[in-house]
Amino acid sequence: MLFAGTPFEFNRVQLVRLIMIVVVLLVLSIIASRAKLVPGRSQSIVELLLDFVNNTIIQNTLGLREGKRFAPMLTTLFFLILTMNIAGVIPGLNLAGTSVIGVPLVLALWTFVTYVVSGVKVHGVAGYLKHETMPPGVPKPIYLLLVPIEFLQVVLIRWASLTIRLLANMVAGHIMLVVFIGLTQGLLFSGSILLVGAPFTGALAIGIYGFEIFVAALQAFIFTMLSAVYIQMATSQEH
């Protein structure tokens, strides 16, 4: 859209991300500024989501004391991912902000840095590496195989899997919507007996549309939950 072919290129997915961030910040700011003791519909929805993240993800995984430390980060992760995912089913946008690798990768690396730094603060560098790669109760010869695998999981596999899982789900959903909507349109204007298949493919497109809303929320939950689990594993005294 702007500055094509330069490091400052601004494309459609960046526009979608910007629109969603601005809209959500404005909406949440307005709701917070007008908060009442007896909440209205909008305030109730926001409070319900906040309670869900705080109770179901943060406190159940990290507990009350540790949960307070990481609540701002984990709440931000959930709302940001949910917002970016939902953009894929909003008419006029029709593109999830997480369907290009940039945002999933940055959020996964944020999680990686957080759990490593938190683990080092609790155990020290050597202690953290031992804590993550040498679980107790394992026969010593097994460590020859286990230590490299666990080390690779800590430094690569965890954040890579977070990135790929979120990206793949949102890309797959977008492709499925495009395919079935395009197929429905093609059948409608085919001018042949294939026209009878249009209602079926149209129904599938509507079904996938609804399923994408569910997947958008589910992926936000999974990403945030796994981030909390990784932090808990890094800061706990025992596996």
Side-chain angles (χ1 to χ4, degrees), residues 17-54:
R17 291 167 178 167
L18 183 61
I19 290 172
M20 294 304 296
I21 288 175
V22 170
V23 169
V24 170
L25 287 177
L26 285 175
V27 169
L28 291 179
S29 296
I30 292 171
I31 292 174
S33 66
R34 299 178 180 178
K36 299 178 181 178
L37 185 61
V38 180
R41 183 179 302 175
S42 299
Q43 184 180 337
S44 296
I45 294 173
V46 173
E47 289 182 357
L48 183 65
L49 288 173
L50 286 170
D51 286 341
F52 172 78
V53 175
N54 188 56

Side-chain angles (χ1 to χ4, degrees), residues 70-135:
F70 298 101
M73 172 202 172
L74 295 171
T75 304
T76 300
L77 277 178
F78 179 83
F79 275 88
L80 181 60
I81 295 171
L82 179 62
T83 298
M84 293 297 173
N85 290 353
I86 287 294
V89 294
I90 295 178
L93 297 180
N94 302 113
L95 183 63
T98 47
S99 61
V100 177
I101 196 170
V103 167
L105 179 59
V106 168
L107 297 181
L109 290 176
W110 184 18
T111 297
F112 166 71
V113 171
T114 300
Y115 73 70
V116 169
V117 171
S118 300
V120 170
K121 284 183 178 180
V122 172
H123 303 287
V125 176
Y128 173 67
L129 291 175
K130 180 180 179 181
H131 173 77
E132 288 285 10
T133 61
M134 301 178 69

Side-chain angles (χ1 to χ4, degrees), residues 9 41 50 114 138 171 182 184 187 191 229:
E9 181 175 292
R41 183 179 302 175
L50 286 170
T114 300
V138 177
V171 169
T184 302
L187 293 176
V229 169

Side-chain angles (χ1 to χ4, degrees), residues 14 26-27 37 49 62 67 91 122 176 179 193 200 218 233-234:
Q14 290 169 328
L26 285 175
V27 169
L37 185 61
L49 288 173
L62 295 169
V122 172
M176 289 174 67
V179 167
I193 191 63
F200 176 70
L218 180 63
M233 291 172 63

Side-chain angles (χ1 to χ4, degrees), residues 155-189:
V155 300
L156 176 63
I157 294 175
R158 287 180 183 172
W159 63 262
S161 64
L162 284 175
T163 304
I164 294 168
R165 181 186 297 107
L166 178 56
L167 175 67
N169 274 279
M170 302 320 297
V171 169
H174 181 72
I175 291 174
M176 289 174 67
L177 278 174
V178 170
V179 167
F180 280 97
I181 292 173
L183 182 59
T184 302
Q185 182 181 13
L187 293 176
L188 279 173
F189 295 99

